[in-house]
Amino acid sequence: LRPRGGRRAIGGSGVELVHAHDYKSSIVLAPFRRLGTLPPLVRTLHGYTTMSPFSRMQAYVLLDRWCLRWHDAVVAVSGAMRTPPGRAPVVIENGITVPDGAAGDGADDPDLQIARTFCRDALVLGSLARLSPEKNLEALIGAVAALNEAGVPVRLIVLGAGRGRATLEAVATRLGVADPVWLPGFKADVRPWLALFDLYLQPSWTEWLPIALLDAMHAGVPLLVT
């Protein structure tokens, strides 16, 4: 979202309310709201991902928190989330839409048909995550290597996309577990996949309350998370 282009697109489209979900949109749009050239601006805070106090991301976090004062309302997904002094958020806790009926059989997903064979007669570890460093997915691959060395038949499936895919595949190859580790990519309907998992794992270095975890809880998959 570019400052000038974004403001023009919103201002010329008849939009009556702008709802931002990320720090970039918030930082770009808040100054225009302060100048009165944008409609009311609402921000939902989902949590910040910072792995170091001395990083570009930390600078974005500080700037974003400063810009919250120019929003008309701030929503937080937890009452424990901090906002700037004098800026009390409206708390709307994370939740999922409970689907009607049982999960489908995934007949329209060819990967799922392969997965059922892939998971046969093995302990199936699963995770739904963006493939990025803060998710610490290398730890899951290390766990597969340890279980494999101990003689435990194991499979790992991580559903998600991201820039860390090549790194994870390289780690699996280096540890000799490329075959039992599978990264099928992003899946819009994860319910049939969750039915295959014996354990849901989330070893993130930093995390709030992801929707993926709620999906796994609703599916009744045992959790092992940090």
Side-chain angles (χ1 to χ4, degrees):
L1 180 62
R2 299 181 182 278
R4 291 184 181 177
R7 182 177 65 84
R8 282 200 301 267
I10 293 170
S13 62
V15 171
E16 297 180 354
L17 178 71
V18 179
H19 188 182
H21 287 266
D22 66 292
Y23 67 89
K24 291 181 180 179
S25 298
S26 182
I27 292 170
V28 167
L29 296 176
F32 293 113
R33 179 57 186 156
R34 187 190 184 200
L35 295 173
T37 59
L38 276 183
L41 180 61
V42 176
R43 170 69 193 283
T44 290
L45 294 171
H46 296 276
Y48 294 112
T49 299
T50 54
M51 296 180 66
S52 167
F54 307 105
S55 65
R56 184 174 60 180
M57 183 63 203
Q58 183 66 15
Y60 286 142
V61 168
L62 294 175
L63 183 56
D64 183 29
R65 288 174 60 80
W66 174 264
C67 288
L68 290 179
R69 67 195 66 225
W70 299 328
H71 290 61
D72 294 87
V74 176
V75 177
V77 298
S78 165
M81 295 180 67
R82 294 178 298 166
T83 53
R87 182 45 122 173
V90 176
V91 177
I92 303 176
E93 295 180 339
N94 272 344
I96 61 172
T97 299
V98 178
D100 294 330
D105 59 6
D108 57 344
D109 185 348
D111 282 343
L112 191 57
Q113 312 311 315
I114 298 171
R116 293 192 174 100
T117 300
F118 176 76
C119 296
R120 189 174 297 153
D121 300 324
L123 174 68
V124 182
L125 312 179
S127 189
L128 316 177
R130 183 173 63 255
L131 308 184
S132 55
E134 74 275 6
K135 299 298 183 179
N136 191 28
L137 298 172
E138 292 186 24
L140 299 188
I141 299 175
V144 170
L147 289 168
N148 189 64
E149 186 174 350
V152 178
V154 61
R155 300 289 184 269
L156 171 65
I157 296 176
V158 180
L159 301 180
R163 58 188 172 86
R165 182 186 186 96
T167 298
L168 295 173
E169 290 175 338
V171 170
T173 299
R174 175 170 55 82
L175 296 179
V177 290
D179 288 341
V181 172
W182 190 16
L183 310 175
F186 173 80
K187 298 295 179 181
D189 185 3
V190 299
R191 289 182 295 158
W193 289 85
L194 287 168
L196 298 174
F197 297 173
D198 294 309
L199 280 173
Y200 180 86
L201 299 105
Q202 181 183 292
S204 303
W205 292 117
T206 176
E207 193 72 76
W208 286 78
L209 180 59
I211 298 299
L213 184 60
L214 300 182
D215 280 328
M217 293 171 71
H218 181 258
V221 184
L223 307 178
L224 181 58
V225 304
T226 57

